[in-house]
Amino acid sequence: MGQLISIDYGSKRTGLAATDDLQIIASGLDTVETPKLIAYLKDYMVFNKVEAFIIGEPKRLHGVASDIETQIKPFIEVLKKEFPEQEIHRIDERFTSKLAFDTMIASGISKKKRKDKSLIDKISATLILQSFLQSRG
């Protein structure tokens, strides 16, 4: 069994989270500049066994795909080519940014740190991964 990596894809930055090797706990991993994402994942996988990628599927309130989906689909094709051994799963990520912000407030994170969008991206990726883990039972 290997880790699961969740990806909260953004046009500028991408939030990442990972499970432990037993796939029990989801933890924020990093926020990476999107153009450097594939290189980051290659480096990460030199030292870590990754079983699958969980990619957020951004939708609007009524279930219609968000505009960023036009960038995510080509990214997924690149991911499949670069990492053919790893499964790719999609999961609805509606409201994760709002939940991430609310989580930061509840955790007592200072107002200054709450403005750090890279932290929100990393927490969003963690929420996506937790949601995936819960959906598997």
Side-chain angles (χ1 to χ4, degrees):
M1 191 177 280
Q3 297 177 11
L4 302 175
I5 302 287
S6 70
I7 299 173
D8 181 28
Y9 189 92
S11 57
K12 296 178 185 174
R13 289 176 319 277
T14 297
L16 300 170
T19 64
D20 56 299
D21 288 337
L22 298 176
Q23 300 178 7
I24 297 171
I25 299 170
S27 302
L29 181 61
D30 210 342
T31 300
V32 179
E33 293 175 31
T34 300
K36 298 177 181 177
L37 181 56
I38 295 293
Y40 179 94
L41 292 171
K42 285 181 179 179
D43 289 345
Y44 184 83
M45 291 173 67
V46 168
F47 299 102
N48 300 279
K49 183 179 177 196
V50 174
E51 183 177 312
F53 296 107
I54 316 307
I55 302 171
E57 191 172 8
K59 295 181 181 179
R60 292 196 170 84
L61 282 176
H62 300 294
V64 177
S66 176
D67 294 341
I68 191 76
E69 187 68 18
T70 60
Q71 294 177 39
I72 294 173
K73 286 184 179 183
F75 166 73
I76 290 173
E77 292 308 311
V78 171
L79 200 62
K80 286 178 183 177
K81 287 178 187 168
E82 294 290 338
F83 307 104
E85 302 293 315
Q86 283 67 34
E87 296 176 22
I88 296 175
H89 303 278
R90 301 293 306 272
I91 190 159
D92 188 343
E93 68 167 60
R94 275 181 280 191
F95 311 115
T96 54
S97 293
K98 171 79 170 104
L99 287 170
F101 190 76
D102 291 347
T103 299
M104 291 192 315
I105 290 171
S107 299
I109 293 175
S110 71
K111 194 171 189 177
K112 183 179 179 184
K113 284 190 179 181
R114 289 195 305 254
K115 291 182 181 180
D116 179 3
K117 297 214 187 278
S118 66
L119 182 57
I120 292 172
D121 294 336
K122 188 171 20 175
I123 293 171
S124 293
T126 305
L127 293 170
I128 289 167
L129 192 49
Q130 285 176 333
S131 178
F132 179 79
L133 290 172
Q134 290 170 345
S135 72
R136 292 192 324 175

